[in-house]
Amino acid sequence: MFDAPIDTWYLWLGVATASALAFGVAVALPTTVPPDAQRAAATVDAVATSPHNATGEHSVDATAVELGSRRIALRNDGGTAHAAFAYGPVTPVRNGTDLAAVLRGHAPAAVFPNATAFRAAAAEARNRTRAWRETDGRLVARRVTWEGVDVTLVGA
């Protein structure tokens, strides 16, 4: 009828090319979805807008995080996702700093000599250049008010 003969060379070449293209597309697709930065930002916003001192924790499906005073970015094998904080600025905290001890639950008075030093450390952290850092899969936010200093600390 209207079928091409099975021994036609260009038919076999077309089938091989289409198969190679389909395989290439399948291999290039990511195996996981990008992390949900919007939900992480919503957790931070909920803590930041709390009328009292509060702490919140959010599990993130990310291998790296980039925290800024106005936004968050999460990255994994599926891609990168960004979200802005509705309430800000927040104070991004790096591990190993005095602010990290406050983020993990220590009282500011136990870590800083006075409120002025606490305010200065928070201001310095907000003005630091953003950088990608590895994460253990959790994001912690803590709102702290101490002697007139009101900050929302965020770390991963």
Side-chain angles (χ1 to χ4, degrees):
M1 297 231 193
F2 296 108
D3 292 333
I6 196 72
D7 58 347
T8 307
W9 67 270
Y10 52 85
L11 177 67
W12 288 107
L13 183 63
V15 169
T17 302
S19 298
L21 287 173
F23 178 74
V25 168
V27 169
L29 292 174
T31 57
T32 60
V33 297
D36 190 357
Q38 291 293 338
R39 289 188 55 182
T43 299
V44 173
D45 288 335
V47 171
T49 58
S50 173
H52 306 289
N53 288 346
T55 301
E57 187 173 320
H58 182 78
S59 295
V60 292
D61 184 21
T63 56
V65 63
E66 181 186 48
L67 283 169
S69 62
R70 303 258 180 211
R71 69 180 199 107
I72 184 172
L74 300 172
R75 179 173 63 194
N76 67 8
D77 292 338
T80 303
H82 304 271
F85 300 122
Y87 179 85
V90 301
T91 304
V93 176
R94 292 186 179 171
N95 291 331
T97 63
D98 289 339
L99 287 175
V102 176
L103 177 65
R104 303 293 181 223
H106 290 86
V111 179
F112 292 95
N114 54 42
T116 304
F118 182 49
R119 178 182 285 118
E124 181 184 331
R126 281 191 297 274
N127 293 328
R128 213 177 276 137
T129 303
R130 292 188 310 260
W132 286 102
R133 292 178 285 145
E134 291 187 19
T135 180
D136 61 356
R138 68 185 190 124
L139 180 76
V140 179
R142 182 177 182 205
R143 180 168 182 249
V144 179
T145 304
W146 180 50
E147 293 185 11
V149 181
D150 186 4
V151 295
T152 302
L153 305 173
V154 182

